[in-house]
Amino acid sequence: DTAVSQTPKYLVTQMGNDKSIKCEQNLGHDTMYWYKQDSKKFLKIMFSYNNKELIINETVPNRFSPKSPDKAHLNLHINSLELGDSAVYFCASSQGQNYGYTFGSGTRLTVV
Amino acid sequence: GEDVEQSLFLSVREGDSSVINCTYTDSSSTYLYWYKQEPGAGLQLLTYIFSNMDMKQDQRLTVLLNKKDKHLSLRIADTQTGDSAIYFCAESPDDSWGKLQFGAGTQVVVTP
């Protein structure tokens, strides 16, 4: 299946831990994104990579570090997790700026 | 999204038409989008409209764009229970490197 796939789907962890979320797309898209959706369903962009190069880095704490080993993968590593990091994180990809995104199904992160 | 506004809730009877409204602020957006999010799932691109169009029809979906008022609407004809979801309006300003600015989402509940 052609898709954007993220793992894990659910992640429950304690405050202070470090965790990673992986994302892969097999659509051949050049651009990948991470979005955060809070408890009120508000979606905000965190990062964007185009052909492995960082092009958008919104005001996100340094504890969040994206890594793109190739244009089909964009992983998100989070250090020293805090309660406020609890949210659903969505990976997405697009081909070009104006063709809309294909979203992954999300990773629900719960920090306890 | 502080720049894209939508009403938060819409209740509609099965078989009736639903109209979801959105206002945006950046007139440079070349495309405007509607996404659908079902519970526990990622966002699915429903339709989009090019900014030089006033209307786009796609089966049961009709998108209307009033560029002067920066107003976008999505009409769903013959609404079904499967249309119950959150609907997000999004804009992508030309200088934003493909970043989508989302509205807060409209929760549509379809009653029998």
Side-chain angles (χ1 to χ4, degrees):
Chain A
D1 283 345
T2 53
V4 178
S5 53
Q6 325 179 197
T7 53
K9 192 168 171 63
Y10 299 97
L11 186 52
V12 181
T13 187
Q14 288 189 324
M15 266 179 17
N17 283 350
D18 304 338
K19 289 292 176 188
S20 292
I21 308 171
K22 295 189 176 185
C23 179
E24 176 182 5
Q25 55 96 3
N26 61 3
L27 298 161
H29 288 169
D30 289 333
T31 310
M32 295 185 73
Y33 310 83
W34 278 109
Y35 275 77
K36 179 180 179 180
Q37 186 175 45
D38 64 21
S39 57
K40 294 190 169 124
K41 304 296 184 187
F42 176 56
L43 279 151
K44 190 159 174 63
I45 193 165
M46 301 172 71
F47 303 103
S48 173
Y49 273 72
N50 181 269
N51 278 313
K52 304 194 298 175
E53 195 175 321
L54 180 67
I55 54 169
I56 296 175
N57 184 351
E58 294 288 293
T59 309
V60 175
N62 290 340
R63 298 181 295 103
F64 290 80
S65 52
K67 284 194 172 46
S68 182
D70 55 60
K71 78 171 197 176
H73 295 83
L74 180 61
N75 304 322
L76 184 65
H77 188 76
I78 317 168
N79 288 328
S80 304
L81 278 153
E82 300 177 358
L83 293 176
D85 298 331
S86 295
V88 181
Y89 292 84
F90 285 102
C91 177
S93 70
S94 69
Q95 182 60 32
Q97 186 170 333
N98 289 313
Y99 299 105
Y101 294 179
T102 301
F103 278 86
S105 55
T107 296
R108 181 173 293 277
L109 171 66
T110 305
V111 183
V112 296
Chain B
E2 58 271 17
D3 297 329
V4 180
E5 293 187 355
Q6 303 177 234
S7 53
L8 293 183
F9 186 79
L10 176 67
S11 179
V12 61
R13 285 202 181 182
E14 196 173 7
D16 288 351
S17 292
S18 313
V19 179
I20 307 165
N21 293 302
C22 169
T23 56
Y24 63 97
T25 58
D26 199 312
S27 56
S28 75
S29 294
T30 304
Y31 288 90
L32 295 141
Y33 305 89
W34 284 103
Y35 283 83
K36 177 184 181 183
Q37 185 179 29
E38 296 183 21
L43 279 77
Q44 171 199 353
L45 178 63
L46 271 184
T47 187
Y48 62 91
I49 188 166
F50 189 48
S51 59
N52 71 352
M53 297 170 66
D54 297 325
M55 184 180 91
K56 180 179 177 182
Q57 188 146 4
D58 183 1
Q59 299 182 328
R60 292 191 296 122
L61 305 178
T62 303
V63 179
L64 295 178
L65 175 60
N66 180 330
K67 208 173 171 188
K68 175 175 162 288
D69 295 337
K70 297 193 187 75
H71 184 264
L72 183 72
S73 68
L74 174 69
R75 180 177 179 269
I76 306 172
D78 187 26
T79 312
Q80 303 297 307
T81 53
D83 295 325
S84 292
I86 301 176
Y87 291 81
F88 291 92
C89 164
E91 64 174 346
S92 181
D94 276 357
D95 60 351
S96 68
W97 287 95
K99 176 173 83 172
L100 286 183
Q101 194 86 16
F102 285 92
T106 299
Q107 172 91 52
V108 172
V109 173
V110 182
T111 56

